[in-house]
Amino acid sequence: MALNRKIAYIDLTTGKIEAKPIPVKVRKLLLGGRGLDSYLVYNHAKPNCDPLGPDNACVISAGLLVGTLASATARTHVAGKSPLTGFFGSCNMGGFFAPEMAWAGFHHLVLKGKAEKPVYLWVHDGEIEIRDAGNIWGRTVPEAQQAIREELGDEDIKVLTIGPAGENLVRFANVMTGVKNAGGRSGMGALLGSKNVKAVAARGTMDIKIAHPEEALDYNKKFTDQVTSAKVSQTQGRLGTPFIWGSTNSWGGIRTNNFQYNQLEYADDMEGESIDEEVFGYAGCFACQVHCRGRYIIPSGPYKGVYDEGPEYTAQGAFAGEPGCTSKETVLVGNHLANIYGMDLLEVGSLTSWAMELYEKGILTDEDTDGLDLSFGNDEAVIEMCHRIAYRKNIGDILAEGGLRAAKKIGKDSIKYLIHVKGMSNLHSDERATPALALGIATGSRGSDHLRSRPAIDLYHLPEPVLRKIYSQPVPYDGPLTSDYKDYEGKPWQVMWQEICYDAVDCLGICKYHTTFLGATLPNFEEWTKVIYYNTGLEFTPLDIWTVGERGYNIERLFNIREGLTRKDDWLVDRYFDEPTTRGTPAVQGRSIDREKFKKMIDEYYQHHGWDENGVPTPETLSRLGLDKEPSHML
Ligand code: SF4
């Protein structure tokens, strides 16, 4: 059954592999996926280790429900100490890898030490082999996946891999499954590269016993109907996430020219509807009915005729909005290069745009760029930077170290223009008019991130009773809630609620688009109690699941504090406070974040969590969550 999947501990230095069951007690405390990963990273990454050294651990997992037929249970999670931020690193991606790993008998792989030479892992029906990857090292993501399938003689093998960026220890390298399922943010690809692990291949034919199969199928139909009946899911299935771009840009919520403006002008060519002209169909992940992944052929230019998948909303920001470009071709090509090299396109776009502003201000010169004209709006430069970063060529080598290290190297005033939180570049959204979204990126456990706590429905002007219905369950909340996205009131609770919701969905292995993220009517805690029970037999109340999410989030916080995080890391760069927006709707123009009100938001956010004024979980909170002896006593 789903509950008898194992954890494998793989020592890459010695080659020793040990598989252990996951006790039900631990499932009840952490469910699986990201929750159990945070625990494993806390215990297996040596405190204060070099993230690229052998003492770091890398955990690859499938969520609790992955391997069943429950809706969109497709997610692979990878965690470790981040080479980019030095704090908790984690990434989460769709596709088909995680279910295959579950059918092969494993829900978690804990990789420790370092292989002497490049290897890949072959996980199949209860067995794990460490195999030579000498002839695969150096290959792009799709090349490596195909080479492994050919070597093992099975086209159905699913491969999680790194690309050249991970091998070259680009600190924001991705882990990839399929063509474009990207585990981005925080550099888990570099972590695998540092261990000389090119890939993990999985193929499984082991049965998964479902606790209540008929009820599980019946309920899955209801769950799926709830997902597919939401307008947001239908739109996403029609245009992918690029549908978000046009509306956000129209009101002034897009960061452009490295945060100098908050709207991209003349953007018609790279909006969702235009990109859709090149898309010949939409694909989905395992057990998903939304199908949001565009399949496209590049229509023109040097890459004409090349196939890829996506692009996402983030690609539009990375290769158009932020560097001030307006070409669809640049978005499609940039997305393709990030996919085949295996790197976080959000970082690539943000750091390239930062370098462009440094170039504009004379901090970087032609000598520093080896003659590359880094002017805003230069499409060729944006594409060239993809190659240079992945292969660490001149200025690309500096940016491959991530913003904070690069700023140290470049010096002068460069740090002043870097848009980051905890050393991670911000998404291309402009949060100056939306305090809730600003708080989310300032406090996220893996650095600046829109997928950790973003209350996206805050932008919808939902009536207060609707907000109260959502945000008062499963924990009663009678504090303020307002429909105005510009307000500061009540937003800390919304941010914390979303944090716990997203942590829980990551524990289950369900896609975030199938919960309260972009839509207000999508499933959450109540529905999860049923899907867990019918598939695994485990009985949880909505409050139990909330507590699991809270526990996981506190373990990530404890990890970060152990690695040196303080309150000052939960903060935004000065531009948020000192430079008001200049474009967009009248409601948005002239907005900036108020420092004093933002400080109070952080205080309130800490209080909701049961953390002290420095953001440290109080003894009472740790005791309530069973973490009072630190997480290490639980297994
Ligand atoms: S909504 Fe999109 S990302 Fe999520 S599971 Fe479905 S296809 Fe994958």
mmCIF file of all heavy atoms in Angstrom, residues 422-449:
data_model
loop_
_atom_site.group_PDB
_atom_site.id
_atom_site.type_symbol
_atom_site.label_atom_id
_atom_site.label_comp_id
_atom_site.label_asym_id
_atom_site.label_seq_id
_atom_site.Cartn_x
_atom_site.Cartn_y
_atom_site.Cartn_z
ATOM 1 N N LYS A 422 17.100 37.162 1.238
ATOM 2 C CA LYS A 422 17.936 36.039 1.697
ATOM 3 C C LYS A 422 18.860 35.524 0.586
ATOM 4 O O LYS A 422 19.180 34.335 0.520
ATOM 5 C CB LYS A 422 17.070 34.885 2.235
ATOM 6 C CG LYS A 422 16.156 35.282 3.406
ATOM 7 C CD LYS A 422 15.310 34.100 3.888
ATOM 8 C CE LYS A 422 14.447 34.458 5.071
ATOM 9 N NZ LYS A 422 13.248 35.227 4.765
ATOM 10 N N GLY A 423 19.213 36.414 -0.347
ATOM 11 C CA GLY A 423 20.133 36.002 -1.418
ATOM 12 C C GLY A 423 19.440 35.356 -2.591
ATOM 13 O O GLY A 423 20.105 34.921 -3.536
ATOM 14 N N MET A 424 18.117 35.278 -2.585
ATOM 15 C CA MET A 424 17.373 34.693 -3.703
ATOM 16 C C MET A 424 16.635 35.817 -4.431
ATOM 17 O O MET A 424 15.997 36.666 -3.795
ATOM 18 C CB MET A 424 16.374 33.655 -3.188
ATOM 19 C CG MET A 424 15.585 32.988 -4.279
ATOM 20 S SD MET A 424 14.266 31.941 -3.613
ATOM 21 C CE MET A 424 15.174 30.446 -3.278
ATOM 22 N N SER A 425 16.739 35.819 -5.756
ATOM 23 C CA SER A 425 16.086 36.881 -6.531
ATOM 24 C C SER A 425 14.568 36.798 -6.427
ATOM 25 O O SER A 425 13.998 35.709 -6.350
ATOM 26 C CB SER A 425 16.471 36.759 -8.005
ATOM 27 O OG SER A 425 17.841 37.005 -8.168
ATOM 28 N N ASN A 426 13.957 37.984 -6.474
ATOM 29 C CA ASN A 426 12.496 38.025 -6.394
ATOM 30 C C ASN A 426 11.868 37.660 -7.728
ATOM 31 O O ASN A 426 12.431 37.936 -8.781
ATOM 32 C CB ASN A 426 12.019 39.425 -6.021
ATOM 33 C CG ASN A 426 12.500 39.858 -4.646
ATOM 34 O OD1 ASN A 426 13.357 39.214 -4.049
ATOM 35 N ND2 ASN A 426 11.946 40.940 -4.148
ATOM 36 N N LEU A 427 10.671 37.103 -7.658
ATOM 37 C CA LEU A 427 9.844 36.929 -8.844
ATOM 38 C C LEU A 427 9.651 38.305 -9.476
ATOM 39 O O LEU A 427 9.805 39.332 -8.812
ATOM 40 C CB LEU A 427 8.489 36.344 -8.422
ATOM 41 C CG LEU A 427 7.418 36.177 -9.501
ATOM 42 C CD1 LEU A 427 7.771 35.034 -10.434
ATOM 43 C CD2 LEU A 427 6.051 35.884 -8.874
ATOM 44 N N HIS A 428 9.269 38.321 -10.766
ATOM 45 C CA HIS A 428 9.135 39.598 -11.446
ATOM 46 C C HIS A 428 7.866 40.363 -11.074
ATOM 47 O O HIS A 428 7.575 41.391 -11.667
ATOM 48 C CB HIS A 428 9.170 39.369 -12.955
ATOM 49 C CG HIS A 428 8.074 38.463 -13.410
ATOM 50 N ND1 HIS A 428 8.258 37.116 -13.589
ATOM 51 C CD2 HIS A 428 6.785 38.711 -13.679
ATOM 52 C CE1 HIS A 428 7.113 36.572 -13.973
ATOM 53 N NE2 HIS A 428 6.204 37.515 -14.030
ATOM 54 N N SER A 429 7.100 39.875 -10.107
ATOM 55 C CA SER A 429 5.951 40.654 -9.637
ATOM 56 C C SER A 429 6.455 41.895 -8.917
ATOM 57 O O SER A 429 7.508 41.868 -8.298
ATOM 58 C CB SER A 429 5.123 39.864 -8.630
ATOM 59 O OG SER A 429 4.721 38.655 -9.173
ATOM 60 N N ASP A 430 5.672 42.959 -8.980
ATOM 61 C CA ASP A 430 5.991 44.153 -8.199
ATOM 62 C C ASP A 430 5.025 44.197 -7.024
ATOM 63 O O ASP A 430 3.828 44.391 -7.207
ATOM 64 C CB ASP A 430 5.843 45.407 -9.073
ATOM 65 C CG ASP A 430 6.397 46.629 -8.362
ATOM 66 O OD1 ASP A 430 6.177 46.736 -7.139
ATOM 67 O OD2 ASP A 430 7.054 47.453 -9.014
ATOM 68 N N GLU A 431 5.538 44.007 -5.816
ATOM 69 C CA GLU A 431 4.672 43.891 -4.640
ATOM 70 C C GLU A 431 4.525 45.200 -3.877
ATOM 71 O O GLU A 431 4.047 45.208 -2.744
ATOM 72 C CB GLU A 431 5.208 42.801 -3.692
ATOM 73 C CG GLU A 431 5.207 41.396 -4.249
ATOM 74 C CD GLU A 431 6.489 41.028 -4.976
ATOM 75 O OE1 GLU A 431 7.365 41.919 -5.128
ATOM 76 O OE2 GLU A 431 6.622 39.870 -5.413
ATOM 77 N N ARG A 432 4.918 46.326 -4.470
ATOM 78 C CA ARG A 432 4.848 47.583 -3.713
ATOM 79 C C ARG A 432 3.414 48.014 -3.407
ATOM 80 O O ARG A 432 3.170 48.751 -2.460
ATOM 81 C CB ARG A 432 5.589 48.694 -4.462
ATOM 82 C CG ARG A 432 7.092 48.589 -4.294
ATOM 83 C CD ARG A 432 7.833 49.595 -5.117
ATOM 84 N NE ARG A 432 7.761 49.295 -6.543
ATOM 85 C CZ ARG A 432 8.377 49.992 -7.485
ATOM 86 N NH1 ARG A 432 9.119 51.026 -7.150
ATOM 87 N NH2 ARG A 432 8.278 49.655 -8.766
ATOM 88 N N ALA A 433 2.468 47.565 -4.232
ATOM 89 C CA ALA A 433 1.066 47.942 -3.978
ATOM 90 C C ALA A 433 0.317 46.855 -3.210
ATOM 91 O O ALA A 433 -0.862 47.025 -2.915
ATOM 92 C CB ALA A 433 0.369 48.202 -5.313
ATOM 93 N N THR A 434 0.999 45.767 -2.880
ATOM 94 C CA THR A 434 0.310 44.620 -2.278
ATOM 95 C C THR A 434 1.073 44.143 -1.034
ATOM 96 O O THR A 434 1.874 43.207 -1.117
ATOM 97 C CB THR A 434 0.215 43.467 -3.302
ATOM 98 O OG1 THR A 434 1.547 43.187 -3.796
ATOM 99 C CG2 THR A 434 -0.665 43.836 -4.486
ATOM 100 N N PRO A 435 0.822 44.764 0.121
ATOM 101 C CA PRO A 435 1.602 44.413 1.322
ATOM 102 C C PRO A 435 1.566 42.928 1.676
ATOM 103 O O PRO A 435 2.557 42.392 2.170
ATOM 104 C CB PRO A 435 0.942 45.249 2.422
ATOM 105 C CG PRO A 435 0.314 46.397 1.706
ATOM 106 C CD PRO A 435 -0.108 45.883 0.370
ATOM 107 N N ALA A 436 0.429 42.262 1.422
ATOM 108 C CA ALA A 436 0.367 40.827 1.769
ATOM 109 C C ALA A 436 1.396 40.051 0.960
ATOM 110 O O ALA A 436 2.120 39.198 1.489
ATOM 111 C CB ALA A 436 -1.032 40.281 1.494
ATOM 112 N N LEU A 437 1.483 40.354 -0.339
ATOM 113 C CA LEU A 437 2.421 39.637 -1.199
ATOM 114 C C LEU A 437 3.861 39.998 -0.825
ATOM 115 O O LEU A 437 4.769 39.162 -0.885
ATOM 116 C CB LEU A 437 2.146 39.956 -2.672
ATOM 117 C CG LEU A 437 1.061 39.096 -3.351
ATOM 118 C CD1 LEU A 437 -0.262 39.083 -2.611
ATOM 119 C CD2 LEU A 437 0.857 39.492 -4.799
ATOM 120 N N ALA A 438 4.056 41.251 -0.414
ATOM 121 C CA ALA A 438 5.396 41.678 0.014
ATOM 122 C C ALA A 438 5.819 40.934 1.278
ATOM 123 O O ALA A 438 6.965 40.482 1.402
ATOM 124 C CB ALA A 438 5.407 43.186 0.246
ATOM 125 N N LEU A 439 4.891 40.782 2.217
ATOM 126 C CA LEU A 439 5.219 40.062 3.455
ATOM 127 C C LEU A 439 5.586 38.608 3.150
ATOM 128 O O LEU A 439 6.521 38.056 3.734
ATOM 129 C CB LEU A 439 4.022 40.110 4.419
ATOM 130 C CG LEU A 439 4.232 39.379 5.743
ATOM 131 C CD1 LEU A 439 5.307 40.063 6.591
ATOM 132 C CD2 LEU A 439 2.932 39.275 6.536
ATOM 133 N N GLY A 440 4.855 38.007 2.227
ATOM 134 C CA GLY A 440 5.127 36.611 1.866
ATOM 135 C C GLY A 440 6.542 36.408 1.365
ATOM 136 O O GLY A 440 7.229 35.470 1.787
ATOM 137 N N ILE A 441 6.998 37.291 0.475
ATOM 138 C CA ILE A 441 8.353 37.068 -0.052
ATOM 139 C C ILE A 441 9.423 37.411 0.992
ATOM 140 O O ILE A 441 10.493 36.824 1.003
ATOM 141 C CB ILE A 441 8.619 37.828 -1.374
ATOM 142 C CG1 ILE A 441 8.440 39.326 -1.219
ATOM 143 C CG2 ILE A 441 7.777 37.284 -2.508
ATOM 144 C CD1 ILE A 441 8.996 40.105 -2.389
ATOM 145 N N ALA A 442 9.105 38.347 1.898
ATOM 146 C CA ALA A 442 10.100 38.729 2.918
ATOM 147 C C ALA A 442 10.327 37.613 3.925
ATOM 148 O O ALA A 442 11.414 37.493 4.487
ATOM 149 C CB ALA A 442 9.639 39.995 3.643
ATOM 150 N N THR A 443 9.310 36.799 4.161
ATOM 151 C CA THR A 443 9.410 35.825 5.251
ATOM 152 C C THR A 443 9.511 34.377 4.787
ATOM 153 O O THR A 443 9.682 33.486 5.621
ATOM 154 C CB THR A 443 8.171 35.956 6.170
ATOM 155 O OG1 THR A 443 6.992 35.852 5.362
ATOM 156 C CG2 THR A 443 8.158 37.282 6.896
ATOM 157 N N GLY A 444 9.421 34.117 3.498
ATOM 158 C CA GLY A 444 9.413 32.732 2.991
ATOM 159 C C GLY A 444 10.610 31.930 3.466
ATOM 160 O O GLY A 444 11.726 32.433 3.526
ATOM 161 N N SER A 445 10.375 30.652 3.766
ATOM 162 C CA SER A 445 11.442 29.858 4.389
ATOM 163 C C SER A 445 12.554 29.495 3.412
ATOM 164 O O SER A 445 13.634 29.105 3.823
ATOM 165 C CB SER A 445 10.860 28.580 5.005
ATOM 166 O OG SER A 445 10.281 27.773 4.001
ATOM 167 N N ARG A 446 12.312 29.578 2.089
ATOM 168 C CA ARG A 446 13.437 29.278 1.190
ATOM 169 C C ARG A 446 13.922 30.540 0.473
ATOM 170 O O ARG A 446 14.509 30.475 -0.598
ATOM 171 C CB ARG A 446 13.081 28.171 0.200
ATOM 172 C CG ARG A 446 12.042 28.516 -0.834
ATOM 173 C CD ARG A 446 11.895 27.430 -1.899
ATOM 174 N NE ARG A 446 10.814 27.775 -2.802
ATOM 175 C CZ ARG A 446 10.427 27.041 -3.831
ATOM 176 N NH1 ARG A 446 11.038 25.910 -4.102
ATOM 177 N NH2 ARG A 446 9.429 27.425 -4.590
ATOM 178 N N GLY A 447 13.641 31.705 1.050
ATOM 179 C CA GLY A 447 14.061 32.962 0.426
ATOM 180 C C GLY A 447 12.895 33.580 -0.303
ATOM 181 O O GLY A 447 11.749 33.140 -0.157
ATOM 182 N N SER A 448 13.185 34.606 -1.099
ATOM 183 C CA SER A 448 12.127 35.319 -1.800
ATOM 184 C C SER A 448 11.362 34.365 -2.687
ATOM 185 O O SER A 448 11.914 33.773 -3.597
ATOM 186 C CB SER A 448 12.770 36.389 -2.675
ATOM 187 O OG SER A 448 11.773 36.972 -3.468
ATOM 188 N N ASP A 449 10.092 34.208 -2.416
ATOM 189 C CA ASP A 449 9.410 33.177 -3.186
ATOM 190 C C ASP A 449 7.907 33.360 -3.179
ATOM 191 O O ASP A 449 7.316 33.635 -2.153
ATOM 192 C CB ASP A 449 9.768 31.811 -2.612
ATOM 193 C CG ASP A 449 9.399 30.727 -3.581
ATOM 194 O OD1 ASP A 449 10.066 30.626 -4.604
ATOM 195 O OD2 ASP A 449 8.435 30.021 -3.318
#
